[in-house]
Structure formats: C-alpha cells, structure tokens
Amino acid sequence: MPKPWTQYRKLVKSIERQEEATQGRRTAQTSNRPVRLIDARKAVLLRCQGRCENPTCGGQPTDVTDGGQPILEVDHVVEIAAGGRDHPVQMVALCPNCHAMKGRGRNREALRSVLVSVANRAHADWNLSTRSKNA
C-alpha cells in the first residue's frame, strides 16, 4: 500500500493538471427537493435547548455561530424521501459530529434507531409539558 504522502502528492498532481480547465466553471443543476416547514426546524431547536439530542454525544462544540447560537444541525431521523415527516416527532438537533455519524458512520443504523426514540420521547415530553401548563 502506498504511503499516505505518496498518495497525497499523486492526488495534488492530478488536481494541478485539471485545475486550469475547471477554474471558475460551474455545473448546472436541477433539484426536486421537498418543501420544508421552517416552524418544524424552529420547534426542534427550541426543544433541544442548545444541546445535541444524541444521548451518546461525545463532545458538542462549545463554539457558537456569529449570531451566538449553538452549532447544531436539525436532521430528519426518517428521511422525507423515505416517507418521513417534516415534523419534530421525527426530527432531532445534532452537533456536526453526531450528524455525520448518523449519515455516514459505520453504526448509523443503530444510531438512527436511538434517535427515533429520542425524537418521539422529546416531542411527547414537550407536548405533555405544554398541556399541563395550559390546563
């Protein structure tokens, strides 16, 4: 197996051969994205109280955005394209690392199972809390 720096140099040479021909060019794209409800995202961010909702999160960043908000990504545990809802009952707020693990990690299916329960439980708790305060 080649040394990492040998592979790196090979990749850089390839980039440099192609760079001039691609500089400033853009590819045209069309998309067919589902309509998202901004209130669903806002509700999840309110519910999470600035914390990653993955119960096994190993290190949410302490840094914040320019606007002073926690660095969190709202994610659909059950993807809309797979029949999921754009509703807080199927959405979680995740730190960037947990979001990457949920999407690309080796244990993503197990994590998704946990996050479905987390989203359901958190949504139910907040609904119950609201109902008891309004009663």
Side-chain angles (χ1 to χ4, degrees), residues 46-61:
L46 179 67
R47 179 186 75 200
C48 77
Q49 299 180 5
R51 303 290 308 159
C52 178
E53 290 187 295
N54 177 2
T56 61
C57 178
Q60 178 171 323

Side-chain angles (χ1 to χ4, degrees), residues 74-95:
V74 176
D75 190 59
H76 294 80
V77 181
V78 179
E79 304 297 331
I80 292 175
R85 296 173 61 197
D86 195 25
H87 188 283
V89 75
Q90 290 186 355
M91 298 166 71
V92 289
L94 299 172
C95 70

